[in-house]
Amino acid sequence: MAPCAVALRRVVERFAPLLLAVLVVTAVWGSATGDLGVRSPLPGAVALLIAVGSGWAASMARTRRWPLFLAAAVGWLVLAAAAAGVVASYQAGLRLRGRRLVGYLVGAAVVLAGGMLVGLAVGGVRRITTATTGNVVLLAAGLVGLPLVFGLWVRARRDTLAALRDRAERLEREQEARADRVRAEERTRIAREMHDVVAHRVSLMVVHAGALEVTAVDPATVEAAALIRTIGREALTDLREVLGVLRQAGPAVLPERGLDALDELIGESRVAGLLVHRRDEGVPSALPATVGRTAYRVVREALTNVRKHAADAETTVCLRYLPDGLEVRVRNGPSEGGRSLPGAGQGLLGLRERVELLGGRLEATPVDGGFLVRALIPVAGVA
């Protein structure tokens, strides 16, 4: 729904009782003075009192209905004014059910019969209007029947829309439950396949590395085997965490490391044979966890690429603390192995999207025979 329509609807709902009260007061007074009905011989103060009371009762119909029914009966019997009766019939169709609705119809019939008796006693125009058979039938149909039917239709429409809304919400919940069940089954299947294939092969690698560490004579071979075994065990630990997340019934949340684990990451790279140095610039300050995790990923991806393509190059990891963010630079020198540095791969593409989601930017370009990965991550607006 458009904002203008919503605003108009709120205004109407807010002032509808007041507008209805004014309309009923005007109609009852017009009927008493003869402008809209039969002129009443009663004093104007009495007519005005009945008109104001009818308007007040109409404005209170949403919370209390009996004043409206009473005002409708008094207005018809005393002034032959039908405005409150029309509103009462509509409210009866809209809100009454079962025995209460039957009781209202019986009461309306009694009031119409009383109006006939009053018309016969008063005579004149009042008798013709309210005491003749044809007019009574027309009054019963127009003042009671039509508003009552309209109220019943409005109520039925509301009930139908409410039922359709409940059904749509129920179907949406069922669809979400089915989707969650399918996702859970798929995660379980993936976890089972990863356990059967990946975990088994990594375990074999760790076992063979351990055996090589025990049987090898060359110290370099023993050291390399120990490193392979250690890394393999860490991979199994990480794999168990991933499998645990996949088997969770709720949303998958995998714990991620931040800047506090950066020294450990650099240490692992040094053990793997990289020449890595860390340098911090600026005044360190508390950063949002999202910024820390993103910076850690930038460094990890950059060091992974260095190990793949320039394992003998000297590498510098620099964190520069800025007033409005953090700058991360990972630069490696030229590789003596003679292999050229490739452009950004899929890892860097995904990393660039992650940085840009935080409002930052990522650059990955060759520099002086080496390679530079530079990320600028803002702090403003990051939770």
Side-chain angles (χ1 to χ4, degrees):
M1 186 178 294
C4 294
V6 173
L8 180 60
R9 181 178 179 181
R10 290 178 179 176
V11 171
V12 171
E13 290 179 351
R14 180 178 179 181
F15 294 102
L18 178 60
L19 295 176
L20 180 62
V22 172
L23 182 63
V24 170
V25 170
T26 303
V28 173
W29 178 254
S31 179
T33 58
D35 295 334
L36 297 176
V38 180
R39 183 179 179 84
S40 175
L42 297 176
V46 176
L48 182 61
L49 180 63
I50 295 176
V52 173
S54 299
W56 172 81
S59 67
M60 300 295 293
R62 291 182 177 179
T63 56
R64 289 180 291 180
R65 291 182 293 274
W66 69 265
L68 177 61
F69 298 156
L70 179 61
V74 172
W76 181 253
L77 294 175
V78 177
L79 302 177
V86 172
V87 178
S89 297
Y90 171 75
Q91 291 292 329
L94 183 65
R95 303 181 185 278
L96 300 184
R97 298 175 183 270
R99 293 182 179 179
R100 291 185 176 182
L101 182 59
V102 174
Y104 174 80
L105 293 176
V106 172
V110 171
V111 171
L112 289 175
M116 291 180 63
L117 296 178
V118 173
L120 292 174
V122 173
V125 179
R126 177 73 180 268
R127 179 179 181 278
I128 298 174
T129 304
T130 62
T132 58
T133 304
N135 285 342
V136 170
V137 173
L138 291 177
L139 290 172
L143 303 182
V144 178
L146 291 180
L148 183 70
V149 171
F150 184 67
L152 291 172
W153 176 80
V154 172
R155 186 181 69 184
R157 183 175 180 273
R158 289 181 179 178
D159 293 343
T160 302
L161 292 177
L164 292 176
R165 191 180 300 110
D166 293 340
R167 180 181 179 183
E169 293 176 354
R170 184 174 66 255
L171 291 176
E172 184 177 358
R173 290 193 298 268
E174 293 176 355
Q175 184 177 3
E176 291 178 355
R178 286 195 298 268
D180 292 339
R181 184 169 60 253
V182 171
R183 284 194 294 267
E185 293 175 354
E186 183 66 14
R187 289 201 303 266
T188 302
R189 185 186 65 82
I190 295 173
R192 184 170 57 251
E193 292 183 358
M194 290 181 64
H195 179 272
D196 294 342
V197 179
V198 181
H200 174 68
R201 294 189 181 277
V202 175
S203 299
L204 289 179
M205 180 184 69
V206 173
V207 171
H208 285 294
L212 180 61
E213 181 183 4
V214 174
T215 58
V217 178
D218 183 19
T221 303
V222 173
E223 183 179 358
L227 178 60
I228 295 174
R229 181 171 56 83
T230 301
I231 295 177
R233 287 181 176 177
E234 294 177 354
L236 286 175
T237 301
D238 294 339
L239 183 59
R240 279 194 295 270
E241 292 180 356
V242 174
L243 295 180
V245 169
L246 288 175
R247 291 192 177 99
Q248 289 178 2
V253 178
L254 185 63
E256 298 187 43
R257 297 182 177 183
L259 288 180
D260 53 346
L262 189 58
D263 288 332
E264 181 181 352
L265 175 63
I266 294 176
E268 293 175 355
S269 298
R270 289 170 180 167
V271 172
L274 294 183
L275 300 176
V276 185
H277 306 285
R278 175 178 175 177
R279 185 175 73 252
D280 292 355
E281 299 178 359
V283 180
S285 58
L287 298 173
T290 306
V291 174
R293 290 194 296 266
T294 303
Y296 178 86
R297 285 198 168 208
V298 170
V299 176
R300 186 178 64 182
E301 180 65 24
L303 293 180
T304 299
N305 289 337
V306 171
R307 284 198 299 268
K308 289 180 180 179
H309 309 295
D312 57 342
E314 186 175 357
T315 305
T316 301
V317 177
C318 178
L319 298 182
R320 184 184 178 191
Y321 294 90
L322 304 174
D324 57 348
L326 177 68
E327 181 183 10
V328 182
R329 288 180 294 175
V330 181
R331 179 176 179 178
N332 63 274
S335 173
E336 297 180 358
R339 288 178 294 180
S340 59
L341 293 172
Q346 293 298 322
L348 288 177
L349 288 177
L351 196 60
R352 178 176 287 108
E353 294 178 357
R354 185 183 182 95
V355 173
E356 290 176 351
L357 284 176
L358 300 181
R361 65 178 186 271
L362 178 73
E363 301 174 358
T365 57
V367 176
D368 298 332
F371 205 79
L372 171 64
V373 177
R374 177 177 175 270
L376 184 60
I377 310 172
V379 175
V382 179

